[in-house]
Each structure stands twice: as structure tokens, then as C-alpha cells.
Amino acid sequence: MTVKVRFAPSPTGKLHVGNIRTALVNWLYAKSLQGVFVLRIDDTDLERSTKENEDGIRNDLTWLGMTWDETFKQSDKFDRYTAAAEDLKAKGLLYPCYETSEELDRRKKIAQSRGKPPVYDRAALELTDADRKELEAQGRKPHWRFKLSGGRAEWVDLVRGQQSIDTSSVSDPVLIREDGSFLYTMPSVVDDVDAKITHVIRGEDHVTNSGAQIEIFLALGAKPPEMAHMPLLIGADGQGLSKRLGSLSAEQLRNEGYEPLALLSLLSKIGTSDPVEARESLEQLALEFSFSKMGRAPARFDENELNGLNAQIVHAMPFEMVKPRLAKLAYGDQATPEFWEVVKGNLQSVPDAALWLAVVYGGGLTGPDLDAEDKAFIGEAAQLFPEGEVTLTTWKSWVDAVKAKTGRKGKGLFQPLRRVLTDQEHGPEMDRMLLLIGGDKARARLIEAAP
Ligand code: GLU
């Protein structure tokens, strides 16, 4: 059996961290078993779905390296859904209801006040043909509910183990709205049957849906796929994802300089028994993936951990790989392999290189705010600065001379020099920085800062 999974985002918004994790786990599971990854666009909600979001989802997945083997859109399949609905109607499993949402709310409240669960009472099943005619004559249009068996829907979840949903404790789900449009529940099942999906992998917020959907699979004469429901993501503080993280789109993460593999390494390891470490490829992550490693506890998504992994990946990046990305930053077209070797250890992300590009290749700096004493010190240091081109030993011999002349040492010696030459309090080794900045620019910066 070839494993076949699908990632099914709705193009009503952008991909965010939670969706990326669902896509990733589907992708890793498929690839770990030489399976097939399908991208399904859940655009039955024609009003809220946009082409822009759909394109965005495809771009984001491509950026992340999660390419798909097959893809389709639900909006191309309305005929199939209509046929499936007719099938269910003919079997007496899809029935018309005429309650307005106000009526339903009222009944729910009454049920609750009597201590009963707010489950739809199936009053519509009691309607006669004459009742329905009458209601339709009044201009009411039906919505359609699937008749659950009232028994238990059971499956062995790849993450949660044995599951059993009492379908008498949930309302018969509405599959078709008054206006004839389909809700997500049935099209998803029809598509999983048509595409021969073997495993449905999604967040645990879908567990109850799965109970109803298993019954719809069976009603349509199909075998339900295997199911895996992942624990949800939480923030570092153990609460739900922060507003910032929860709403961070893949596009924003890309713009903030996050590397796909930092994000993917983190998202594939949190909530599992594996340590959180950066990996070099999705293929490597797939080799290490197994549902047996995934726990039931929520997965903790920590931005600091993400930043750490990102830095680790950036530090290991060869110049040839980063060159085209540096070229998009100011002065980046001048960056040399030496530049990259010197500064990369100080970067958390590739765009952070902008600062060092300006220091090395840019003209004047803003200049540090020095007090009179430091200014005088810089004046002396400027006079001692050697003529001609600098070499790797220039920094040390110059600093030794400045030290001998001024009597300064430690931070008092190094800090003003670093600040004048680079405008920064911290940064790469100064001997190598000085070599990158060059003698002329260094002299100009010293003279500029001197009294
Ligand atoms: N479009 C649904 C969602 O984004 C898909 C759920 C599923 O995987 O079945 O929640």
C-alpha cells in the first residue's frame, strides 16, 4: 500500500505556524514511507477564499521545500459533492431542516437549562411532506443534516491510540447550508475517498469531526482512512501560542529572515521524544520522523529556540549559498567570502548582515557619542594609526602602541576603538574587521571622531 496524505488549507487566510506544522507532519510521514503528498485547497467557501491566499499558500510551501505530488481545489469538484449528497439523501442519511439559527439557539438554551447536552433534537425528522411544503411555501429554504448513527465511531489514532466518539452526544452535522453551499465536513470525505487518501493527519481540534466523518465514509460505502490527531501548539510559557506567534504567517517569517529549516526542524521536533536540533534537510527530518515519538502533551513552540536554531543554520551557511541573498541588501553586491567568514558568527539571521555590510562597505557612520576624555583618547589613537594598507597584524600592533602611549587597558582601551571603527558595542574580532574596513576608511573614522 502506498501511503497517501493530504494537506488541506483553506485559502481564507495566510499559512501560519500551526498550518505549517500540519503540512510538515503530513509531508514527513509521506516521505518517510515513500508516499504521496497531496495539496488540497479547501475553497468551498467562495466568499472568503481568495486567489491571492491560494497563491500565497503555494509560494510558502515552495519556500519551505514542501513540494506536492498532486494538487486540486474543492471548487472544481462541486458536481462530485452534489452527487454524494444525492446518494446520502437517497439512503435517508441527509435530511432537510428548516430551523432558523435563532430557533436553534433558543432550543439549545432550553436544553441546557434542563441540564441536557445542547444536541440538535432532530425535530426536522418528524416533519411530514405536507409540513415541508408548507414551510417552503412560506419561503423557508432547508439546510441539510447528516443523520449520525447514535452509536460509537471508533478508530485507533496514530497519536492518541484507541478513540471512541459517542455520536449520540453530538448534533447531526449540517453538511449543506440554506443557500446550497457545502460546509467542509462532507467534501473533505468525498475528496479523501476520490483521492484514495490512506492517512488523515491533522490537529486534535478535529477529533470530534472525525467521529462524524468516519460515519460519512461508511455511509458513502468507503473505508475510513487511518487517522492521526496531533496535540496543539502552545507558547513557551505553557499558554496558548501568543498572539504574535499564532498569527505569524510564513510570509512574515520569511521576511524576518527565518530559515525554512530552522522553522521545520523546530516544528518537527517539538512535542516528540527527539531533542530539538537543527537539521540540514527535510529528507533528514523525514528519516527521523515517527508517530511513535509524538506525545499527547501540547507541543511547546519557543521563539528563543527558533532564534537559536536559525543562528546555528546561518553560521553554517557557505558564502556561495548566501551570496544572492546578501546581494539584495544595501552594499551586499560587494560582499566577499572573507566578509561572510568574519561576520556570520554574529548574525542571528541573514538580513542581520545589513548592519555589517554598512560598517564595512558603507561610507560614514553615525559616529558614537563620546565624552571629551574618550575623544582625546581617540585623537591620540588616530595619530598612532599606521600609514598605508592594513594587515591582519595591524590591529594588535596599533592597540599595543595606543596602550603604551595612553596607559589605558581592557574595556577602556578597546571599547572606544571598536565603537569608532564599527559604530557597535559588540561584534566580530577587530583584527579581521579592520582588515575588511581597510586603512583609509578606518583613518577617516578616527579623524572624524577625534577632537
Ligand atoms: N480545511 C480544513 C482545515 O483547515 C482541513 C481539515 C482537514 O485536514 O481535514 O481545518
Side-chain angles (χ1 to χ4, degrees):
M1 177 194 76
T2 305
V3 163
K4 198 169 181 190
V5 302
R6 83 301 193 273
F7 171 54
S10 305
T12 50
K14 296 179 189 290
L15 275 198
H16 51 76
V17 176
N19 307 125
I20 296 173
R21 175 157 167 268
T22 304
L24 176 64
V25 172
N26 274 284
W27 198 97
L28 295 177
Y29 185 66
K31 298 302 156 176
S32 70
L33 297 167
Q34 286 79 49
V36 177
F37 176 77
V38 178
L39 170 62
R40 181 181 95 198
I41 302 291
D42 280 7
D43 58 351
T44 51
D45 186 341
L46 293 174
E47 270 180 20
R48 291 173 56 232
S49 300
T50 69
K51 176 84 174 78
E52 194 192 341
N53 284 330
E54 184 190 329
D55 292 345
I57 289 168
R58 292 183 195 276
N59 281 342
D60 292 342
L61 288 178
T62 305
W63 171 63
L64 291 163
M66 290 191 276
T67 44
W68 48 92
D69 305 300
E70 293 174 19
T71 182
F72 65 93
K73 305 204 278 193
Q74 291 195 317
S75 57
D76 288 336
K77 293 196 61 190
F78 286 130
D79 289 352
R80 280 288 301 132
Y81 309 146
T82 305
E86 291 309 317
D87 180 18
L88 295 178
K89 284 180 195 171
K91 288 171 175 158
L93 292 171
L94 189 60
Y95 61 96
C97 305
Y98 295 84
E99 293 90 350
T100 61
S101 46
E102 293 77 34
E103 273 165 347
L104 291 171
D105 276 350
R106 202 171 51 239
R107 282 197 219 164
K108 244 188 213 169
K109 282 191 188 122
I110 293 173
Q112 273 168 327
S113 69
R114 293 186 184 148
K116 287 193 186 153
V119 176
Y120 176 60
D121 60 9
R122 291 184 163 172
L125 280 178
E126 311 299 323
L127 297 174
T128 62
D129 280 348
D131 294 336
R132 280 193 282 269
K133 271 215 184 87
E134 161 94 42
L135 286 161
E136 291 187 21
Q138 290 168 17
R140 293 235 199 163
K141 290 220 164 65
H143 55 275
W144 297 77
R145 287 187 191 260
F146 177 75
K147 195 170 159 209
L148 292 167
S149 71
R152 289 191 165 270
E154 309 207 313
W155 74 97
V156 180
D157 196 280
L158 269 68
V159 180
R160 301 164 60 87
Q162 180 66 45
Q163 299 292 294
S164 176
I165 303 271
D166 175 5
T167 65
S168 70
S169 70
V170 278
S171 296
D172 287 343
V174 176
L175 301 189
I176 306 174
R177 297 188 188 91
E178 270 90 349
D179 64 2
S181 64
F182 294 98
L183 280 114
Y184 142 83
T185 315
M186 189 195 68
S188 178
V189 172
V190 171
D191 290 334
D192 289 342
V193 175
D194 287 355
K196 301 192 170 56
I197 296 301
T198 60
H199 293 74
V200 166
I201 303 167
R202 54 192 180 186
E204 68 183 14
D205 48 332
H206 281 289
V207 168
T208 313
N209 272 344
S210 290
Q213 286 184 323
I214 282 176
E215 293 211 332
I216 299 174
F217 275 102
L218 296 172
L220 292 172
K223 182 173 164 283
E226 300 281 329
M227 302 218 165
H229 291 88
M230 299 178 281
L232 301 180
L233 290 180
I234 53 168
D237 57 1
Q239 308 291 315
L241 271 194
S242 67
K243 206 156 175 236
R244 171 180 142 77
L245 285 183
S247 61
L248 257 189
S249 64
E251 194 184 354
Q252 269 169 298
L253 288 161
R254 180 167 60 228
N255 292 340
E256 288 186 15
Y258 285 106
E259 300 300 320
L261 278 159
L263 195 59
L264 301 176
S265 296
L266 182 64
L267 287 174
S268 76
K269 297 299 183 191
I270 51 176
T272 78
S273 50
D274 279 348
V276 174
E277 289 165 354
R279 290 287 179 261
E280 278 179 11
S281 67
L282 266 167
E283 285 66 28
Q284 182 60 35
L285 290 172
L287 282 176
E288 295 170 15
F289 180 83
S290 165
F291 276 117
S292 64
K293 296 178 179 175
M294 198 177 275
R296 292 277 308 263
R300 216 172 261 256
F301 185 93
D302 182 345
E303 207 171 349
N304 287 328
E305 215 163 12
L306 176 62
N307 292 338
L309 293 176
N310 207 66
Q312 212 180 314
I313 289 173
V314 171
H315 299 171
M317 228 178 247
F319 176 67
E320 283 312 313
M321 201 167 140
V322 80
K323 196 176 162 186
R325 290 169 64 188
L326 292 178
K328 291 190 187 134
L329 304 171
Y331 310 109
D333 51 347
Q334 299 177 52
T336 59
E338 292 72 33
F339 168 83
W340 182 244
E341 286 313 307
V342 172
V343 306
K344 67 180 182 189
N346 283 268
L347 309 180
Q348 188 183 290
S349 71
V350 172
D352 287 351
L355 175 80
W356 301 107
L357 285 167
V359 168
V360 171
Y361 303 109
L365 302 175
T366 336
D369 211 1
L370 298 177
D371 60 24
E373 214 179 305
D374 277 347
K375 267 187 181 254
F377 164 73
I378 292 295
E380 287 182 291
Q383 281 175 13
L384 292 166
F385 196 81
E387 296 284 313
E389 252 330 300
V390 290
T391 67
L392 199 52
T393 56
T394 304
W395 170 257
K396 172 136 193 348
S397 49
W398 175 51
V399 169
D400 284 347
V402 175
K403 185 178 176 181
K405 175 92 192 287
T406 63
R408 285 204 186 199
K409 52 184 194 244
K411 222 176 149 193
L413 173 66
F414 292 105
Q415 202 62 9
L417 300 178
R418 175 184 283 283
R419 285 176 61 204
V420 167
L421 294 176
T422 69
D423 229 3
Q424 303 301 314
E425 306 263 336
H426 308 279
E429 294 295 330
M430 278 306 295
D431 52 353
R432 302 170 80 198
M433 273 310 281
L434 184 56
L435 199 56
L436 287 175
I437 292 168
D440 291 345
K441 214 175 264 181
R443 263 186 294 274
R445 286 177 188 169
L446 288 164
I447 291 166
E448 171 84 26

